[in-house]
Amino acid sequence: MNIEIDGKGYELNFGFGFLRALNDKYKVRKNGQDIGAGLAMTTGYLIDSDPLVLPDIVEAGLHHVKKDKPGKEKIEEALMAIIEEKGVEEVSEGFLNTFRESALTSKKVKQAEEQIEKQQKKAKEQAENQ
């Protein structure tokens, strides 16, 4: 996946470095320890079309850029232009589809989507029973 930031094209890399960067940013506490849950948590945010997760995904996707790496402000400006053109839902779905199709991320995204679906179903049943 490619993105233009401040007039320069960048290829986003969603490999191991990407997953490490997300896990460093998104953690859950389990049995007294912080555990990286980056892809699972960002999947939930993408399903909800939460625009605040998009800069984190792009920043993590640029983990491999060593020279002239764009800062958060430039990333957000580029994303705003894309969102204004396509809408946040389409941008979020684009990332989700990329993660669904990748051999490295597809299983974890599918598990996260199934878990979210179960939680939504349970919440709906609880609301109906009240």
Side-chain angles (χ1 to χ4, degrees):
M1 180 179 272
N2 296 311
I3 187 169
E4 186 175 313
I5 302 171
D6 202 26
K8 185 175 178 186
Y10 293 91
E11 182 178 349
L12 299 178
N13 181 306
F14 300 123
F16 288 107
F18 166 76
L19 295 174
R20 276 191 291 278
L22 284 184
N23 279 348
D24 286 345
K25 179 123 180 117
Y26 295 93
K27 298 181 183 294
V28 294
R29 195 141 187 80
K30 189 172 183 179
N31 297 328
Q33 289 189 315
D34 287 335
I35 298 171
L39 189 59
M41 290 178 74
T42 55
T43 296
Y45 292 130
L46 288 171
I47 288 170
D48 289 341
S49 295
D50 185 335
L52 294 178
V53 75
L54 299 175
D56 294 337
I57 291 170
V58 172
E59 194 169 36
L62 294 171
H63 66 89
H64 62 290
V65 176
K66 304 300 180 205
K67 186 178 179 185
D68 299 325
K69 188 176 196 170
K72 194 115 175 160
E73 185 177 307
K74 293 293 181 183
I75 291 170
E76 289 176 355
E77 288 174 12
L79 283 167
M80 272 305 302
I82 296 167
I83 289 168
E84 286 173 359
E85 179 185 333
K86 297 181 178 185
V88 71
E89 294 83 7
E90 186 176 330
V91 175
S92 295
E93 192 63 29
F95 281 112
L96 275 173
N97 286 336
T98 298
F99 300 152
R100 287 176 184 129
E101 294 169 5
S102 167
L104 187 62
T105 57
S106 62
K107 183 177 179 182
K108 190 60 128 175
V109 168
K110 182 178 180 184
Q111 288 172 339
E113 288 178 317
E114 289 171 354
Q115 183 65 31
I116 291 165
E117 190 176 310
K118 285 179 190 176
Q119 290 171 346
Q120 289 173 338
K121 184 178 178 182
K122 184 177 178 180
K124 183 179 177 182
E125 288 172 356
Q126 287 175 341
E128 289 173 352
N129 291 332
Q130 288 183 356

